[in-house]
Amino acid sequence: MQARIHHPRNDSDEQPRFLHISWLYAQDYCEYQLYLDQVKGVTVDDTPAMVEGSAEHQRLEDVFLAKAEVEYTFEEAVDESRRTPISSRELYVEDRSLNIRGYIDELVLSPDGFTVIDDKPVGRTGKVYPSSKHQVYGYCIALKNMLGPDEQRPITAAVRARGSDRIVWSEAFDTKAERKVQRLIKRVHGLIDGDFQFKSATQAYKCRPCRFFDVCDKRVEATSKR
């Protein structure tokens, strides 16, 4: 059953600055992106790939909402999922103990557990990079906090090839994954707070498609072959 799950975002209090869960993806790809974006405030145009990705993301959301049968609060959906499988898109999650927030592309709630799905572009090889896994782990740990300690159903992290139904990677969100993402979250907070030095990418293949390529003083350019 497809449903709209309402979990509104509250910005009315004086909560310390949140880390957006998507920053965990940027951290593994190139921390200097975060420096240019979040510390320096550099503004640049989106790349064609980003524009295409946003359009596809919106298309999937529109298709899903057109088919959604019911509406629930988060608590109602969790309770109903003990009896009936439910899927929802763009669910807002947060963990105020870790100061993280974000929107899950798709969450499947069922009597057997919860599956957190993030849509990513996947090449022919189907390889899923650590950056994508780290982002899904971030959603998983926020979801786990929202579910509370009494919820015993397992959580599964998954990456799906964007524009398809093909799951290209999935893994139980276990203690090892939880500890890993906690360390990464701590590092990103430390980067933003100035406690750590930002590391830049060292491979040209990462720099070429970056939206900050033209303005980045750390970019790596491919050397020409003779």
Side-chain angles (χ1 to χ4, degrees), residues 55-210:
E56 177 63 13
H57 191 89
Q58 187 60 54
R59 184 190 71 80
L60 292 171
E61 173 71 358
D62 292 342
V63 170
F64 183 92
L65 290 176
K67 295 179 180 178
E69 304 168 34
V70 292
E71 297 187 15
Y72 292 115
T73 64
F74 178 72
E75 293 75 17
E76 289 171 342
V78 171
D79 181 63
E80 180 62 26
S81 70
R82 294 187 174 94
R83 299 173 290 275
T84 305
I86 299 171
S87 65
S88 185
R89 283 190 65 89
E90 289 300 302
L91 175 67
Y92 174 70
V93 292
E94 68 176 27
D95 183 336
R96 293 196 167 217
S97 67
L98 296 171
N99 287 342
I100 59 173
R101 62 169 35 151
Y103 291 86
I104 297 175
D105 281 346
E106 184 168 349
L107 175 65
V108 179
L109 313 85
S110 76
D112 297 327
F114 305 88
T115 302
V116 176
I117 302 172
D118 198 41
D119 293 314
K120 292 292 186 194
V122 177
R124 296 178 184 176
T125 63
K127 182 176 181 179
V128 177
Y129 291 95
S131 53
S132 295
K133 297 177 183 179
H134 297 167
Q135 185 174 346
V136 185
Y137 288 159
Y139 296 129
C140 288
I141 200 170
L143 175 66
K144 181 178 180 180
N145 175 271
M146 288 167 53
L147 291 169
D150 295 334
E151 179 57 71
Q152 296 300 308
R153 284 176 286 176
I155 298 174
T156 299
V159 172
R160 180 172 56 198
R162 181 179 289 162
S164 76
D165 295 323
R166 183 165 58 100
I167 299 295
V168 292
W169 172 84
S170 67
E171 184 178 277
F173 183 67
D174 56 14
T175 302
K176 181 180 179 181
E178 185 171 356
R179 288 174 179 168
K180 182 179 184 66
V181 75
Q182 285 173 334
R183 290 195 300 269
L184 293 172
I185 290 168
K186 183 178 180 180
R187 175 164 180 82
V188 175
H189 275 303
L191 288 169
I192 300 299
D193 292 340
D195 298 330
F196 306 129
Q197 185 174 358
F198 290 84
K199 296 179 181 179
S200 59
T202 58
Q203 302 97 343
Y205 78 86
K206 283 189 173 184
C207 293
R208 280 194 304 272
C210 179

Side-chain angles (χ1 to χ4, degrees), residues 204-220:
Y205 78 86
K206 283 189 173 184
C207 293
R208 280 194 304 272
C210 179
R211 62 190 172 117
F212 295 107
F213 181 81
D214 289 335
V215 298
C216 181
D217 58 320
K218 301 284 188 179
R219 72 187 185 200
V220 179

